[in-house]
Amino acid sequence: SSVLKKLYSKETPFFLMIEGSQIDWAGHANDINYVNSEFKDFDAAIQVALDFAKNDGNTLVVVTADHETGGLGIKGGSISRNKISSGWVTGGHTGTMVPVFSYGPTAKSFSGIYDNTEIFEKLINSLK
Protein backbone atom coordinates (compact mmCIF):
# COMPACT_ATOMS: atom_id res chain seq x y z
CA SER A 1 0.00 0.00 0.00
CA SER A 2 1.20 3.51 -0.72
CA VAL A 3 0.43 4.65 2.84
CA LEU A 4 2.65 1.95 4.35
CA LYS A 5 5.44 2.70 1.87
CA LYS A 6 5.32 6.40 2.75
CA LEU A 7 5.34 5.73 6.51
CA TYR A 8 8.15 3.19 6.16
CA SER A 9 10.26 5.50 3.97
CA LYS A 10 10.64 7.96 6.85
CA GLU A 11 12.79 5.34 8.66
CA THR A 12 11.18 6.14 12.01
CA PRO A 13 8.79 3.95 13.99
CA PHE A 14 5.10 4.47 13.28
CA PHE A 15 1.70 3.36 14.56
CA LEU A 16 -1.15 2.83 12.13
CA MET A 17 -4.73 2.07 13.18
CA ILE A 18 -7.22 0.82 10.61
CA GLU A 19 -10.84 0.63 11.69
CA GLY A 20 -13.55 -1.43 10.03
CA SER A 21 -16.32 0.70 11.52
CA GLN A 22 -18.96 -0.28 9.00
CA ILE A 23 -18.84 -3.86 10.31
CA ASP A 24 -20.41 -2.37 13.45
CA TRP A 25 -23.00 -0.49 11.39
CA ALA A 26 -23.90 -3.72 9.59
CA GLY A 27 -24.35 -5.48 12.94
CA HIS A 28 -26.65 -2.73 14.18
CA ALA A 29 -28.66 -3.10 10.96
CA ASN A 30 -28.68 -6.92 11.29
CA ASP A 31 -27.64 -7.04 7.63
CA ILE A 32 -25.64 -10.21 6.86
CA ASN A 33 -24.80 -9.13 3.30
CA TYR A 34 -23.41 -5.83 4.60
CA VAL A 35 -21.38 -7.70 7.26
CA ASN A 36 -19.93 -10.03 4.63
CA SER A 37 -19.04 -7.16 2.29
CA GLU A 38 -17.33 -5.17 5.05
CA PHE A 39 -15.46 -8.21 6.38
CA LYS A 40 -14.08 -8.85 2.88
CA ASP A 41 -12.77 -5.28 2.74
CA PHE A 42 -11.34 -5.53 6.26
CA ASP A 43 -9.74 -8.88 5.43
CA ALA A 44 -8.02 -7.28 2.42
CA ALA A 45 -6.64 -4.49 4.63
CA ILE A 46 -5.38 -7.04 7.16
CA GLN A 47 -3.66 -8.97 4.35
CA VAL A 48 -1.80 -5.83 3.26
CA ALA A 49 -0.64 -5.29 6.86
CA LEU A 50 0.42 -8.93 7.24
CA ASP A 51 2.33 -8.88 3.95
CA PHE A 52 4.13 -5.73 5.09
CA ALA A 53 4.93 -7.29 8.48
CA LYS A 54 6.25 -10.50 6.91
CA ASN A 55 8.55 -8.53 4.61
CA ASP A 56 9.67 -6.12 7.33
CA GLY A 57 10.24 -8.68 10.10
CA ASN A 58 9.95 -6.04 12.83
CA THR A 59 6.29 -5.09 12.61
CA LEU A 60 3.57 -6.12 15.05
CA VAL A 61 0.03 -6.49 13.67
CA VAL A 62 -2.87 -6.67 16.15
CA VAL A 63 -6.46 -7.19 15.00
CA THR A 64 -9.39 -6.91 17.40
CA ALA A 65 -12.71 -5.18 18.05
CA ASP A 66 -13.92 -2.98 20.86
CA HIS A 67 -17.21 -4.92 21.11
CA GLU A 68 -19.55 -7.28 19.30
CA THR A 69 -22.71 -5.98 17.67
CA GLY A 70 -25.90 -7.77 16.72
CA GLY A 71 -25.27 -11.19 18.24
CA LEU A 72 -24.97 -12.94 14.88
CA GLY A 73 -25.23 -16.69 15.15
CA ILE A 74 -25.28 -19.63 12.77
CA LYS A 75 -28.61 -21.44 13.14
CA GLY A 76 -28.14 -24.18 10.57
CA GLY A 77 -27.19 -24.96 7.03
CA SER A 78 -25.51 -27.47 4.76
CA ILE A 79 -21.76 -27.92 4.40
CA SER A 80 -22.19 -29.87 1.16
CA ARG A 81 -24.21 -27.03 -0.39
CA ASN A 82 -21.99 -24.33 1.14
CA LYS A 83 -25.05 -22.65 2.69
CA ILE A 84 -25.76 -21.37 6.19
CA SER A 85 -28.73 -19.82 7.90
CA SER A 86 -28.05 -17.12 10.43
CA GLY A 87 -29.91 -15.00 12.90
CA TRP A 88 -29.48 -12.00 15.17
CA VAL A 89 -30.30 -11.55 18.84
CA THR A 90 -30.19 -7.73 19.02
CA GLY A 91 -29.60 -4.56 17.08
CA GLY A 92 -27.29 -3.37 19.84
CA HIS A 93 -24.03 -4.40 21.43
CA THR A 94 -23.61 -7.73 23.20
CA GLY A 95 -21.38 -8.93 26.01
CA THR A 96 -19.74 -11.51 23.75
CA MET A 97 -15.96 -11.66 24.06
CA VAL A 98 -14.09 -10.52 20.96
CA PRO A 99 -10.96 -12.24 19.69
CA VAL A 100 -7.52 -10.67 19.47
CA PHE A 101 -5.25 -11.85 16.68
CA SER A 102 -1.61 -10.86 16.50
CA TYR A 103 1.42 -11.46 14.31
CA GLY A 104 5.04 -10.42 14.63
CA PRO A 105 7.39 -9.53 17.48
CA THR A 106 5.74 -9.86 20.92
CA ALA A 107 2.61 -11.36 19.33
CA LYS A 108 2.52 -14.06 22.01
CA SER A 109 1.81 -11.44 24.68
CA PHE A 110 -1.65 -10.96 23.13
CA SER A 111 -2.80 -14.53 23.80
CA GLY A 112 -5.28 -15.54 26.49
CA ILE A 113 -8.39 -13.95 27.93
CA TYR A 114 -8.16 -10.44 29.36
CA ASP A 115 -10.01 -7.14 29.52
CA ASN A 116 -9.66 -5.18 26.29
CA THR A 117 -8.19 -2.23 28.21
CA GLU A 118 -5.05 -4.36 28.71
CA ILE A 119 -4.27 -4.10 25.00
CA PHE A 120 -2.87 -0.60 25.54
CA GLU A 121 -0.33 -1.87 28.10
CA LYS A 122 0.56 -4.81 25.86
CA LEU A 123 1.24 -2.40 22.99
CA ILE A 124 3.39 -0.17 25.20
CA ASN A 125 5.33 -3.20 26.48
CA SER A 126 5.94 -4.35 22.92
CA LEU A 127 8.01 -1.18 22.37
CA LYS A 128 10.48 -2.05 25.12
PDB file of all heavy atoms in Angstrom, residues 82-97:
ATOM      1  N   ASN A  82     -22.665 -25.588   0.812  1.00  0.00           N
ATOM      2  CA  ASN A  82     -21.989 -24.328   1.143  1.00  0.00           C
ATOM      3  C   ASN A  82     -22.994 -23.227   1.493  1.00  0.00           C
ATOM      4  O   ASN A  82     -22.875 -22.089   1.048  1.00  0.00           O
ATOM      5  CB  ASN A  82     -21.072 -23.891  -0.004  1.00  0.00           C
ATOM      6  CG  ASN A  82     -20.015 -22.905   0.444  1.00  0.00           C
ATOM      7  OD1 ASN A  82     -19.645 -22.873   1.613  1.00  0.00           O
ATOM      8  ND2 ASN A  82     -19.530 -22.106  -0.477  1.00  0.00           N
ATOM      9  N   LYS A  83     -23.984 -23.586   2.289  1.00  0.00           N
ATOM     10  CA  LYS A  83     -25.046 -22.650   2.688  1.00  0.00           C
ATOM     11  C   LYS A  83     -25.179 -22.650   4.206  1.00  0.00           C
ATOM     12  O   LYS A  83     -25.028 -23.677   4.854  1.00  0.00           O
ATOM     13  CB  LYS A  83     -26.397 -23.080   2.097  1.00  0.00           C
ATOM     14  CG  LYS A  83     -26.457 -23.073   0.596  1.00  0.00           C
ATOM     15  CD  LYS A  83     -26.825 -21.718   0.101  1.00  0.00           C
ATOM     16  CE  LYS A  83     -27.001 -21.765  -1.412  1.00  0.00           C
ATOM     17  NZ  LYS A  83     -27.257 -20.495  -1.968  1.00  0.00           N
ATOM     18  N   ILE A  84     -25.458 -21.469   4.754  1.00  0.00           N
ATOM     19  CA  ILE A  84     -25.761 -21.374   6.186  1.00  0.00           C
ATOM     20  C   ILE A  84     -27.020 -20.540   6.365  1.00  0.00           C
ATOM     21  O   ILE A  84     -27.378 -19.742   5.504  1.00  0.00           O
ATOM     22  CB  ILE A  84     -24.614 -20.745   7.007  1.00  0.00           C
ATOM     23  CG1 ILE A  84     -24.379 -19.277   6.613  1.00  0.00           C
ATOM     24  CG2 ILE A  84     -23.344 -21.549   6.913  1.00  0.00           C
ATOM     25  CD1 ILE A  84     -23.549 -18.499   7.601  1.00  0.00           C
ATOM     26  N   SER A  85     -27.666 -20.738   7.498  1.00  0.00           N
ATOM     27  CA  SER A  85     -28.728 -19.824   7.897  1.00  0.00           C
ATOM     28  C   SER A  85     -28.257 -19.160   9.183  1.00  0.00           C
ATOM     29  O   SER A  85     -27.616 -19.791  10.020  1.00  0.00           O
ATOM     30  CB  SER A  85     -30.056 -20.551   8.088  1.00  0.00           C
ATOM     31  OG  SER A  85     -29.965 -21.501   9.110  1.00  0.00           O
ATOM     32  N   SER A  86     -28.533 -17.881   9.283  1.00  0.00           N
ATOM     33  CA  SER A  86     -28.048 -17.117  10.431  1.00  0.00           C
ATOM     34  C   SER A  86     -29.187 -16.332  11.050  1.00  0.00           C
ATOM     35  O   SER A  86     -30.262 -16.213  10.474  1.00  0.00           O
ATOM     36  CB  SER A  86     -26.919 -16.173   9.991  1.00  0.00           C
ATOM     37  OG  SER A  86     -27.382 -15.282   8.995  1.00  0.00           O
ATOM     38  N   GLY A  87     -28.927 -15.816  12.215  1.00  0.00           N
ATOM     39  CA  GLY A  87     -29.915 -14.997  12.900  1.00  0.00           C
ATOM     40  C   GLY A  87     -29.240 -14.032  13.851  1.00  0.00           C
ATOM     41  O   GLY A  87     -28.057 -14.170  14.169  1.00  0.00           O
ATOM     42  N   TRP A  88     -29.967 -13.052  14.296  1.00  0.00           N
ATOM     43  CA  TRP A  88     -29.476 -11.997  15.168  1.00  0.00           C
ATOM     44  C   TRP A  88     -30.245 -12.027  16.480  1.00  0.00           C
ATOM     45  O   TRP A  88     -31.414 -12.407  16.502  1.00  0.00           O
ATOM     46  CB  TRP A  88     -29.679 -10.636  14.504  1.00  0.00           C
ATOM     47  CG  TRP A  88     -29.042 -10.530  13.160  1.00  0.00           C
ATOM     48  CD1 TRP A  88     -29.598 -10.863  11.961  1.00  0.00           C
ATOM     49  CD2 TRP A  88     -27.727 -10.088  12.869  1.00  0.00           C
ATOM     50  NE1 TRP A  88     -28.715 -10.637  10.945  1.00  0.00           N
ATOM     51  CE2 TRP A  88     -27.548 -10.153  11.470  1.00  0.00           C
ATOM     52  CE3 TRP A  88     -26.663  -9.618  13.657  1.00  0.00           C
ATOM     53  CZ2 TRP A  88     -26.365  -9.787  10.845  1.00  0.00           C
ATOM     54  CZ3 TRP A  88     -25.499  -9.250  13.022  1.00  0.00           C
ATOM     55  CH2 TRP A  88     -25.348  -9.334  11.647  1.00  0.00           C
ATOM     56  N   VAL A  89     -29.603 -11.608  17.563  1.00  0.00           N
ATOM     57  CA  VAL A  89     -30.305 -11.550  18.842  1.00  0.00           C
ATOM     58  C   VAL A  89     -30.613 -10.123  19.275  1.00  0.00           C
ATOM     59  O   VAL A  89     -31.422  -9.908  20.162  1.00  0.00           O
ATOM     60  CB  VAL A  89     -29.538 -12.294  19.966  1.00  0.00           C
ATOM     61  CG1 VAL A  89     -29.429 -13.768  19.652  1.00  0.00           C
ATOM     62  CG2 VAL A  89     -28.174 -11.688  20.221  1.00  0.00           C
ATOM     63  N   THR A  90     -29.971  -9.121  18.642  1.00  0.00           N
ATOM     64  CA  THR A  90     -30.189  -7.730  19.024  1.00  0.00           C
ATOM     65  C   THR A  90     -29.725  -6.808  17.910  1.00  0.00           C
ATOM     66  O   THR A  90     -28.969  -7.231  17.027  1.00  0.00           O
ATOM     67  CB  THR A  90     -29.434  -7.381  20.335  1.00  0.00           C
ATOM     68  OG1 THR A  90     -29.728  -6.024  20.704  1.00  0.00           O
ATOM     69  CG2 THR A  90     -27.933  -7.543  20.188  1.00  0.00           C
ATOM     70  N   GLY A  91     -30.137  -5.581  17.968  1.00  0.00           N
ATOM     71  CA  GLY A  91     -29.596  -4.556  17.080  1.00  0.00           C
ATOM     72  C   GLY A  91     -28.548  -3.731  17.791  1.00  0.00           C
ATOM     73  O   GLY A  91     -28.001  -2.788  17.244  1.00  0.00           O
ATOM     74  N   GLY A  92     -28.269  -4.111  19.034  1.00  0.00           N
ATOM     75  CA  GLY A  92     -27.293  -3.372  19.837  1.00  0.00           C
ATOM     76  C   GLY A  92     -26.023  -4.170  20.068  1.00  0.00           C
ATOM     77  O   GLY A  92     -25.737  -5.144  19.387  1.00  0.00           O
ATOM     78  N   HIS A  93     -25.279  -3.730  21.063  1.00  0.00           N
ATOM     79  CA  HIS A  93     -24.034  -4.402  21.427  1.00  0.00           C
ATOM     80  C   HIS A  93     -24.334  -5.573  22.341  1.00  0.00           C
ATOM     81  O   HIS A  93     -25.335  -5.576  23.056  1.00  0.00           O
ATOM     82  CB  HIS A  93     -23.094  -3.429  22.135  1.00  0.00           C
ATOM     83  CG  HIS A  93     -22.737  -2.249  21.286  1.00  0.00           C
ATOM     84  ND1 HIS A  93     -22.349  -1.046  21.816  1.00  0.00           N
ATOM     85  CD2 HIS A  93     -22.710  -2.081  19.948  1.00  0.00           C
ATOM     86  CE1 HIS A  93     -22.097  -0.190  20.843  1.00  0.00           C
ATOM     87  NE2 HIS A  93     -22.318  -0.802  19.693  1.00  0.00           N
ATOM     88  N   THR A  94     -23.463  -6.581  22.314  1.00  0.00           N
ATOM     89  CA  THR A  94     -23.609  -7.734  23.198  1.00  0.00           C
ATOM     90  C   THR A  94     -22.411  -7.813  24.141  1.00  0.00           C
ATOM     91  O   THR A  94     -21.436  -7.091  23.979  1.00  0.00           O
ATOM     92  CB  THR A  94     -23.689  -9.049  22.396  1.00  0.00           C
ATOM     93  OG1 THR A  94     -22.407  -9.332  21.830  1.00  0.00           O
ATOM     94  CG2 THR A  94     -24.762  -8.990  21.319  1.00  0.00           C
ATOM     95  N   GLY A  95     -22.488  -8.702  25.083  1.00  0.00           N
ATOM     96  CA  GLY A  95     -21.385  -8.933  26.007  1.00  0.00           C
ATOM     97  C   GLY A  95     -20.440 -10.026  25.536  1.00  0.00           C
ATOM     98  O   GLY A  95     -19.581 -10.473  26.284  1.00  0.00           O
ATOM     99  N   THR A  96     -20.577 -10.449  24.296  1.00  0.00           N
ATOM    100  CA  THR A  96     -19.740 -11.509  23.751  1.00  0.00           C
ATOM    101  C   THR A  96     -18.283 -11.069  23.705  1.00  0.00           C
ATOM    102  O   THR A  96     -17.977  -9.948  23.279  1.00  0.00           O
ATOM    103  CB  THR A  96     -20.211 -11.871  22.323  1.00  0.00           C
ATOM    104  OG1 THR A  96     -21.568 -12.284  22.388  1.00  0.00           O
ATOM    105  CG2 THR A  96     -19.366 -12.963  21.714  1.00  0.00           C
ATOM    106  N   MET A  97     -17.382 -11.964  24.136  1.00  0.00           N
ATOM    107  CA  MET A  97     -15.957 -11.656  24.061  1.00  0.00           C
ATOM    108  C   MET A  97     -15.543 -11.557  22.595  1.00  0.00           C
ATOM    109  O   MET A  97     -16.072 -12.269  21.746  1.00  0.00           O
ATOM    110  CB  MET A  97     -15.124 -12.747  24.749  1.00  0.00           C
ATOM    111  CG  MET A  97     -15.266 -12.743  26.252  1.00  0.00           C
ATOM    112  SD  MET A  97     -14.056 -13.814  27.064  1.00  0.00           S
ATOM    113  CE  MET A  97     -14.668 -15.429  26.609  1.00  0.00           C
TER     114      MET A  97
END
